[in-house]
Amino acid sequence: MTSLWTQTPEPIPSTPWDGRRPDVVVVGAGITGLSTALMLARAGRDVAVLEAGEVALLASGSNTGKLSLLQGAVLSTLRRHHPASLVRAYVDANRDGAQWLTSFAEEAGVPFSRRTAYSYAQSADGVAGVAAEAGAAAEAGLPVRRATPDADLPFPILDAVALDDQVAIDPYRVVTALARAALAAGVTLHTGVRVTGVRVVPHPVLDTSAGFVAADDVVLATGAPLTDRGLYFAKTRGLRSYCVAFDVDGDVPEGLYLSVDAPSRSLRSVTAADGPTGSARLVIGGNGHPVGRSASPRAAVDDLIAWTGEHFPGADPVASWSAQDYESHDLIPFVGAMPRTLGRVRFATGFGKWGLSNGPAAAQRITAEIIRTPRRDRPAWMNTISRRLTVPADIGRGGVENLRVGWEAASGWMNAHRRAVPVTRPEEGRGVVAHRGVRPIGISTVDGVTRAVDAVCPHLGGVLAWNDSESTWDCPLHASRFTAEGTRIEGPAVCDLRRLPRVPGEPVAR
C-alpha cells in the first residue's frame, strides 16, 4: 500500500555514519524529527539524524495532509475531564506548530491551500457532539461557527461546527522539504541506521546497526519511544486508520471534513495547489482501530471504497494506504525529557493522528529545552502542558486499555494453541497463527512465497495478528509491526522476528 503522496519518491541525500560525536542525535526522519533537527541546527547545534528506513517513510508520508486546529471531537473530549486552561494550551500548541509549518512551507516554496474545516455529525447521535465541540473550541479561543448543512453535499451532514483558514497540504512534499532545509543548515542525515537501544551513563550512547553513536543530547522522534523508560507504551495506544484516493467525475467538496461520530469519515479534495499532479481529486479516510485488533483491515478499506461509491457515483480508487499513530490516554501528547535519563534523552509521542501540528509544536518545546531557553521566555502553553495533572478519567481510560492488553495477551496464546502445524498453505495475502510445541508461529503467503516466523512479539510477548491489508504481522498489545519476512517496521519492539526454517516431515503446503 503506497500513499497518494509517496507514489513518486523523492531521493534525499544520505551519508554513511562516520563515527563522529555530534551535539544532538535525532532518531527518526519524520516531521517531528526533521523539524527538531532544523530548529536545533538554526540555533547553532551540530545535529545528526538517524533513520532506519527513508525520510517520511511512515505516518509523516501517509496521513491526509489536513492541518487543522479543529480536530473532530478532540477538544470536547479533552474538556469533559480537564480544565479549560489545558484545552487552551493544547490549542495554542497546535496553533504555534501549524504556524511554524506553514511559515516554513512558504519559505521552502511548498504550496498549500487555505480551507474551512468542519467537524460534523452524520447521524442524530453526533449532533450533541457537534454542540460540545463548538463550545469547547470557542472557550479555547477558536473563532468557530455553527454551519448549516449544505444540501448540495453528496454525503449526510445533520450539523457541523466550522473553522475557517485551515490548511490542506501535501505532507510528503513538506517533510522532504524539511529534510533538504535541514541538510542545508548543516544537519547530517543517515538512513538505513536502526537504533536498538539507549544508554545514558556516563553520557548518552545509542546502540545502532552502524555501531555505537554518542552525543550530548538524544531526541527520540520515532512514534513509539525506543526505550521502556517511563512505560509510555502503557500510557498510549497505537491506532491505525485508512485512506483511499479517488478520481471523481464532477464537483468535490472544498472543505476539510471529519465526523464526530462513528463510523469515522474524513474527507478532503486534492488540487494542484496542495497535492501531487495526477488524477486523484478526493481523499477519504477513516475506519480506525487499535493496532492488531481488527479481524480484517482489508474490510476497512473496502468499506471506505463502498461508502465513496455510494455518495460519489463513478469514483475510481487510484491509491489506498494506512497510517499509524499513538494516542495518549488523556489526549495530550507526551513531550520532554525521558525519565531516568538525566535530562539527556527527549522524546515525543501521543499525537493522536494530528502530527502535522503537534509534531512541530513538540519540536519547538524540545528545542527550547535543549538550548536552555528560560521558562519565562517560552510560550505559556509549554509550561501549562508540562504541569498537567492526571485525573480519574485518564486513569480510567488507561485502566480499560491495559485490561484490554491483558485480554489480548491471554487470548492470543489460547487461540494459537487451537491449531497445530502442519497447516494448509495460506492463500495469497493470507496469514495464520498455529503452534509448534508451546511456541506460536506465523505462516503467511505473500507474492507466492510462504514463510514462517516466530509469532511472539519481542517487546512483551504478545501473539501477533495478521494484517490482510498490508501483509504484516501486528501486535495487539502495544502496536509493534513486522513484515511477512519478520523485519520490524515500527512500534516499541526494537528487533526483528525470528525466521523459522521448514522442519522435515512438517510441510507448510499441501
Side-chain angles (χ1 to χ4, degrees), residues 151-178:
D152 292 332
L153 287 174
F155 55 96
I157 287 186
L158 299 187
D159 198 0
V161 55
L163 179 64
D164 298 325
D165 204 31
Q166 304 308 289
V167 169
I169 196 167
D170 181 332
Y172 182 71
R173 188 169 179 180
V174 75
V175 175
T176 53
L178 280 169

Side-chain angles (χ1 to χ4, degrees), residues 388-423:
R388 75 183 190 264
L389 298 175
T390 299
V391 302
D394 303 335
I395 297 173
R397 279 194 297 269
V400 169
E401 172 61 18
N402 285 296
L403 284 173
R404 182 60 188 267
V405 166
W407 165 254
E408 293 289 345
S411 62
W413 281 86
M414 288 187 295
N415 290 336
H417 281 80
R418 292 175 179 172
R419 176 186 297 175
V421 294
V423 298

Side-chain angles (χ1 to χ4, degrees), residues 120-394:
Y120 73 94
Q122 54 191 338
S123 67
D125 292 339
V127 172
V130 166
E133 192 67 15
E139 185 181 42
L142 292 176
V144 294
R145 55 185 171 81
R146 295 296 283 273
T148 303
D150 188 342
D152 292 332
L153 287 174
F155 55 96
I157 287 186
L158 299 187
D159 198 0
V161 55
L163 179 64
D164 298 325
D165 204 31
Q166 304 308 289
V167 169
I169 196 167
D170 181 332
Y172 182 71
R173 188 169 179 180
V174 75
V175 175
T176 53
L178 280 169
R180 291 193 301 272
L183 292 173
V187 174
T188 59
L189 174 64
H190 311 277
T191 58
V193 178
R194 183 194 295 187
V195 176
T196 58
V198 183
R199 290 174 283 166
V200 295
V201 178
H203 54 76
V205 175
L206 299 172
D207 299 324
T208 83
S209 58
F212 298 125
V213 176
D216 295 331
D217 292 281
V218 169
V219 178
L220 301 179
T222 52
L226 294 172
T227 173
D228 287 347
R229 288 182 172 90
L231 302 179
Y232 290 98
F233 65 84
K235 299 175 183 177
T236 59
R237 61 174 185 158
L239 302 173
R240 291 202 75 75
S241 54
Y242 302 88
C243 290
V244 184
F246 296 86
D247 182 20
V248 180
D249 293 328
D251 295 334
V252 292
E254 293 183 359
L256 309 176
Y257 294 86
L258 181 60
S259 65
V260 300
D261 48 358
S264 60
R265 291 290 181 262
S266 168
L267 298 90
R268 65 155 287 193
S269 59
V270 180
T271 70
D274 50 46
T277 58
S279 61
R281 301 185 57 209
L282 183 66
V283 171
I284 307 293
N287 286 345
H289 61 82
V291 176
R293 302 182 197 171
S294 171
S296 174
R298 179 67 234 181
V301 177
D302 293 340
D303 180 63
L304 291 178
I305 294 173
W307 184 90
T308 306
E310 177 184 354
H311 299 292
F312 296 87
D316 180 27
V318 295
S320 64
W321 67 98
S322 67
Q324 182 160 311
D325 200 3
Y326 301 83
E327 179 185 79
S328 71
H329 298 324
D330 67 0
L331 304 185
I332 299 290
F334 290 108
V335 180
M338 181 73 69
R340 297 185 288 112
T341 62
L342 306 178
R344 291 300 189 181
V345 178
R346 288 175 170 79
F347 75 108
T349 189
F351 295 161
K353 305 181 186 179
W354 294 100
L356 285 180
S357 52
N358 275 311
Q364 290 173 314
R365 178 175 168 184
I366 290 170
T367 299
E369 292 179 356
I370 289 177
I371 68 176
R372 308 287 198 278
T373 301
R375 285 187 176 272
R376 65 178 179 276
D377 296 332
R378 301 178 191 178
W381 62 262
M382 292 187 186
N383 298 322
T384 300
I385 289 177
S386 67
R387 294 193 301 265
R388 75 183 190 264
L389 298 175
T390 299
V391 302
D394 303 335

